[in-house]
């Protein structure tokens, strides 16, 4: 877990040169998630959880997965974060303060009973800002492609510049392409919910055709697909990383089968992100949360990285925080309602019907 690691002039920072590659030294500091910068402290600009700070020859503090450590790396040693060993962590770097004076209050947690209107309004404002000044990475589960309105809303978000990267698995891409080609997801019509004859073959047929085409862009072109999440990413040059799982069908071409290669590719997109929005995908959400720092450096300034976790299950939104992503904003909602409401809040035409019904 790593957000801000620092080296102090007035205290001794212990450095150990590795003798064996891929093996962290005993007593190595594994990074935590919350930052501080204070004059003489040196900032680790690209941080993440459960990694090791390495002092590079040029003086940069690199945050390295310990599987990527090599012989001769100078790793930081220490298990305290109060500055006594040259490592300092500040837990209120972006805190607005002003805590309630009440010792007891109802509904201080976040659940299906929480009033989320303010969160949706804040997210709409954030996305308008990030469209021009930031980088928004979406992490999507297959439920985002199971409904025609959700697909259309996410497509509109991509087409209108509110997405700069996509992290997902084989299933999201497969069922999105199935919906665009056959108007089904796992054989069920994405609007009427009616099961089509032999519909349970549809996703297999799509995967097979995509593998024959050689790539997702080639499949889209060959089949004349003109809508959907994957089409929007390809058409607008939005990079995506599809990470495979042990139970994947196929998979589609371009899906990472090597979990560490997938993690490296995911981290490349996450390192560029200033906002990360995870929707209806527990394992991808936790994986992404573990590599998402609470801050980033842009234009020489330190700013927060916003992390949203959206799921219909309170267990999922709470589990992300239990796994160390303490700065995440949980929203309890299903994928369709969330995506359509976000699109409506941004005034996208595809969401007009939803907006009229729900406002």
């Amino acid at each position: 877990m790593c957000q801000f690691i620092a080296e102090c002039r007035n205290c001794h920072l212990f450095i150990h040169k590795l003798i064996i590659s891929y093996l962290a030294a005993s007593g190595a500091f594994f990074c935590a998630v919350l930052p501080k910068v204070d004059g003489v402290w040196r900032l680790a600009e690209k941080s993440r959880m459960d990694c090791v700070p390495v002092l590079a020859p040029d003086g940069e503090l690199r945050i390295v997965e310990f599987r990527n450590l090599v012989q001769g790396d100078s790793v930081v040693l220490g298990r305290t974060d109060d500055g006594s060993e040259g490592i300092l962590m500040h837990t209120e770097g972006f805190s607005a303060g002003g805590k309630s004076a009440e010792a007891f209050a109802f509904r201080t947690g976040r659940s299906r009973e929480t009033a989320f209107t303010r969160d949706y309004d804040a997210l709409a404002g954030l996305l308008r800002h990030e469209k021009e000044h930031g980088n928004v990475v979406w992490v999507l589960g297959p439920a985002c492609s199971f409904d025609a309105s959700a697909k259309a809303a996410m497509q509109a978000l991509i087409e209108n510049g509110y997405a700069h990267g996509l992290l997902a698995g084989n299933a999201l891409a497969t069922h999105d392409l199935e919906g665009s080609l056959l108007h089904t997801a796992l054989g069920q019509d994405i609007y009427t919910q009616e099961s089509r004859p032999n519909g349970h073959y549809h996703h297999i047929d799509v995967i097979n055709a995509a593998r024959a085409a050689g790539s997702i862009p080639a499949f889209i072109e060959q089949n004349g697909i003109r809508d959907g999440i994957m089409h929007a990413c390809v058409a607008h040059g939005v990079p995506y990383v599809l990470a495979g799982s042990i139970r994947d069908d196929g998979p589609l071409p371009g899906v990472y089968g090597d979990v560490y290669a997938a993690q490296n590719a995911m981290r490349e997109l996450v390192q560029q992100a200033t906002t990360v929005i995870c929707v209806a995908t527990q394992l991808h959400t936790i994986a992404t949360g573990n590599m998402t720092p609470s801050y980033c450096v842009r234009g020489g300034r330190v700013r927060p990285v916003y992390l949203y976790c959206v799921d219909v299950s309170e267990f999922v939104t709470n589990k992300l925080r239990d796994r160390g992503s303490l700065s995440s904003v949980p929203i309890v909602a299903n994928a369709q309602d969330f995506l359509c409401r976000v699109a409506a809040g941004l005034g996208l035409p595809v969401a007009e019907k939803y907006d009229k019904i729900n406002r």
Side-chain angles (χ1 to χ4, degrees):
M1 312 161 90
C2 195
Q3 251 27 321
F4 249 79
I5 304 299
E7 182 183 4
C8 179
R9 298 175 188 162
N10 301 319
C11 50
H12 186 57
L13 182 67
F14 293 95
I15 301 292
H16 174 80
K17 282 193 176 294
L18 289 185
I19 301 173
I20 304 174
S21 296
Y22 322 125
L23 181 66
S26 177
F29 181 78
F30 287 86
C31 303
V33 284
L34 300 167
K36 180 172 184 176
V37 182
D38 185 18
V40 299
W41 293 88
R42 189 178 300 177
L43 172 66
E45 294 194 5
K46 295 180 179 179
S47 193
R48 69 154 290 181
M49 280 178 150
D50 298 332
C51 291
V52 180
V54 173
L55 187 61
D58 62 2
E60 178 189 4
L61 278 170
R62 297 187 295 112
I63 308 304
V64 181
E65 294 89 348
F66 58 91
R67 69 173 184 276
N68 293 325
L69 294 171
V70 297
Q71 184 178 359
D73 278 347
S74 297
V75 302
V76 174
L77 302 184
R79 291 294 169 91
T80 63
D81 52 25
D82 60 0
S84 60
E85 294 180 282
I87 302 164
L88 186 63
M89 185 165 63
H90 182 34
T91 61
E92 298 180 354
F94 303 116
S95 174
K99 293 184 178 179
S100 172
E102 295 287 340
F104 173 81
F106 289 112
R107 301 174 66 216
T108 55
R110 295 175 70 85
S111 70
R112 70 195 72 184
E113 295 182 336
T114 299
F116 289 110
T117 300
R118 180 180 177 182
D119 295 278
Y120 281 105
D121 290 344
L123 180 56
L126 176 62
L127 288 173
R128 291 189 182 98
H129 174 83
E130 299 288 64
K131 178 179 178 179
E132 304 297 336
H133 306 289
N135 185 288
V136 183
V137 171
W138 293 78
V139 186
L140 303 181
C144 299
S145 64
F146 285 171
D147 175 80
S149 295
K151 268 173 62 79
M154 191 64 226
Q155 176 184 334
L157 288 164
I158 296 168
E159 291 173 341
N160 286 274
Y162 297 108
H164 304 95
L166 169 66
L167 304 179
N170 183 61
L172 178 279
T174 296
H175 300 309
D176 175 69
L177 294 172
E178 178 191 345
S180 297
L181 183 66
L182 301 169
H183 210 258
T184 61
L186 281 176
Q188 185 183 81
D189 188 281
I190 56 176
Y191 178 71
T192 67
Q193 301 180 29
E194 295 176 355
S195 294
R196 299 284 182 84
N198 275 333
H200 56 283
Y201 285 107
H202 284 184
H203 70 291
I204 300 296
D205 292 340
V206 166
I207 292 171
N208 201 43
R211 291 172 68 87
S215 70
I216 289 174
F219 172 82
I220 288 172
E221 181 62 28
Q222 289 177 17
N223 289 276
I225 290 173
R226 293 294 179 265
D227 66 63
I229 297 168
M230 298 310 299
H231 171 267
C233 285
V234 171
H236 293 271
V238 174
Y240 55 86
V241 174
L242 304 177
S245 77
I246 199 167
R247 60 175 298 275
D248 279 345
D249 293 319
L252 289 169
V255 172
Y256 284 88
D258 182 328
V259 293
Y260 298 118
Q263 187 182 125
N264 291 340
M266 290 172 67
R267 191 181 181 193
E268 285 187 19
L269 285 189
V270 169
Q271 284 182 337
Q272 302 172 46
T274 53
T275 293
V276 177
I277 305 172
C278 307
V279 187
T281 175
Q282 177 176 310
L283 295 182
H284 262 82
T285 293
I286 295 170
T288 305
N290 284 355
M291 63 181 72
T292 301
S294 65
Y295 70 95
C296 63
V297 180
R298 295 292 184 271
R301 301 184 65 181
V302 180
R303 59 152 287 175
V305 174
Y306 297 95
L307 175 61
Y308 284 81
C309 176
V310 183
D311 203 280
V312 74
S313 168
E314 297 166 36
F315 172 78
V316 174
T317 59
N318 291 330
K319 186 172 183 178
L320 177 63
R321 293 179 64 84
D322 288 343
R323 292 298 181 268
S325 298
L326 306 181
S327 60
S328 68
V329 178
I331 295 180
V332 181
N334 71 28
Q336 174 191 351
D337 287 345
F338 174 77
L339 292 174
C340 290
R341 185 162 181 179
V342 170
L346 293 167
L348 301 182
V350 70
E352 287 180 354
K353 179 179 179 182
Y354 178 88
D355 193 36
K356 290 177 181 177
I357 292 172
N358 289 278
R359 292 282 181 176

